[in-house]
């Protein structure tokens, strides 16, 4: 008997499917229906276990953008327009969640002052000059990297986009795993740290996705560089948050994801240089 539903039989992969659905609901604007056997699709996510499905959630979130990238390229729109369209669709699919975190993180650290002041600025919904600049540079780097990949590798750029989305979401677990919450209230404090098994599963899925990307023809040196640079970028943001804020917030996690995705794409560009 199912302990949660009181009568529905267990079936393999049910909890994983529920966690994947919860990931997509929390991290995107996609209309995710209630899954079979799911008691309450609107309840607060279980963050100790939820991150294990982030790599697959990243793949699903990136697929519309990857398809648009390939279609625009095949339609002859050119690399810049195709890349811009793909990044726009990525932002629309995710609701700009991570971009918002990056902007808030940049505003808080850019303004400076003591820890309390930076955290207060990060919580302010208004965007400042540092946040606007960070958003502009992040968008420009992602568009530029994708356009260059299209020019050098053609449709393989779509595979790179999907892999970067997945790897960056694994890398963004770094502050959750390594830092305490910077505030005593808020979502980050309520979420806690992901369980060790959840982190291992996320890493394992990330490795499988790298192997799948290799099977689809992505450059091996490029995949290795993407993994290394996305992890390094996430650890750098995590270290900065430790020094300046004494912990992590949702904005720190968002900034980690954006930094890791940009680093992964730039790493792939460097590896396939002409």
């Amino acid at each position: 008997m199912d302990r949660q539903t009181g009568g529905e039989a267990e079936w393999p992969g049910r909890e994983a499917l529920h966690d994947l659905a919860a990931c997509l609901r929390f991290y995107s604007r996609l209309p995710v229906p209630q899954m079979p056997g799911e008691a309450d699709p609107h309840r607060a996510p279980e963050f100790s276990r939820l991150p294990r499905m982030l790599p697959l959630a990243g793949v699903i979130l990136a697929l519309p953008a990857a398809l648009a990238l390939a279609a625009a390229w095949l339609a002859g729109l050119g690399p810049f327009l195709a890349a811009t369209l793909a990044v726009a669709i990525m932002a629309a699919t995710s609701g700009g969640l991570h971009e918002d975190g990056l902007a808030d993180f940049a505003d808080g650290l850019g303004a400076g002052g003591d820890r309390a002041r930076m955290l207060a600025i990060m919580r302010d919904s208004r965007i400042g000059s540092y946040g606007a600049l960070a958003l502009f540079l992040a968008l420009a780097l992602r568009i530029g990297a994708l356009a260059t990949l299209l020019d050098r590798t053609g449709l393989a750029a779509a595979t790179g986009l999907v892999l970067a989305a997945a790897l960056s979401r694994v890398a963004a677990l770094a502050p959750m795993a390594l830092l305490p919450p910077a505030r005593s209230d808020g979502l980050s404090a309520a979420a806690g740290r992901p369980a060790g098994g959840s982190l291992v599963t996320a890493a394992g899925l990330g490795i499988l996705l790298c192997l799948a990307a290799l099977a689809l023809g992505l450059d091996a040196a490029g995949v290795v560089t993407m993994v290394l640079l996305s992890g390094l970028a996430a650890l750098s943001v995590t270290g900065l948050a430790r020094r300046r804020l004494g912990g992590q917030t949702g904005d720190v996690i968002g900034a980690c994801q954006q930094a890791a995705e940009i680093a992964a794409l730039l790493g792939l560009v460097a590896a396939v240089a002409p």
Side-chain angles (χ1 to χ4, degrees):
M1 300 288 283
D2 187 333
R3 293 189 300 271
Q4 290 182 340
T5 63
E8 196 161 335
E10 295 274 1
W11 44 274
R14 191 189 70 166
E15 285 191 351
L17 178 62
H18 292 177
D19 288 343
L20 177 59
C23 272
L24 293 173
R25 292 190 192 104
F26 185 82
Y27 289 102
S28 80
R29 297 292 180 88
L30 296 176
V32 182
Q34 184 172 358
M35 297 291 108
E38 192 174 18
D40 181 9
H42 304 296
R43 68 180 178 180
E46 180 56 63
F47 280 98
S48 65
R49 154 184 114 207
L50 188 75
R52 64 180 178 160
M53 301 308 292
L54 274 175
L56 293 184
V59 169
I60 294 171
L61 293 177
L63 278 177
L67 292 173
L69 184 74
W73 174 252
L74 292 173
L77 294 186
F80 176 77
L81 289 178
T84 303
L85 181 62
V87 171
I89 290 176
M90 277 283 285
T93 302
S94 68
L97 178 68
H98 298 301
E99 288 86 351
D100 179 71
L102 172 66
D104 288 341
F105 184 66
D107 274 336
L109 268 63
D114 60 18
R115 174 176 173 272
R117 180 171 184 264
M118 287 187 286
L119 288 171
I121 291 172
M122 288 168 62
R123 180 164 273 178
D124 192 334
S125 61
R126 294 170 296 182
I127 188 170
S129 57
Y130 291 105
L133 182 60
L135 278 179
F136 172 79
L137 291 175
L139 291 172
L141 286 169
R142 290 161 71 193
I143 292 170
L146 284 174
T148 305
L149 285 173
L150 277 173
D151 190 50
R152 293 179 183 175
T153 68
L155 293 180
T159 304
L161 169 61
V162 173
L163 184 58
L167 291 176
S168 64
R169 282 161 175 81
V170 176
L173 294 173
M176 292 183 69
L178 300 176
L179 300 180
R183 302 186 182 97
S184 59
D185 61 343
L187 179 61
S188 180
R193 293 186 178 181
S198 179
L199 295 174
V200 170
T201 301
L205 287 174
I207 292 172
L208 290 177
L209 291 172
C210 288
L211 295 176
L214 290 173
L216 290 172
L218 208 60
D219 181 77
V223 171
V224 172
T225 306
M226 290 176 76
V227 173
L228 293 177
L229 290 188
S230 62
L232 180 60
L235 289 175
S236 298
V237 174
T238 299
L240 183 60
R242 184 196 300 274
R243 292 192 301 273
R244 301 293 300 277
L245 303 175
Q248 50 90 5
T249 69
D251 292 331
V252 173
I253 296 168
C256 257
Q257 188 278 328
Q258 288 287 285
E261 183 173 309
I262 291 167
L265 290 172
L266 293 179
L268 184 56
V269 169
V272 298

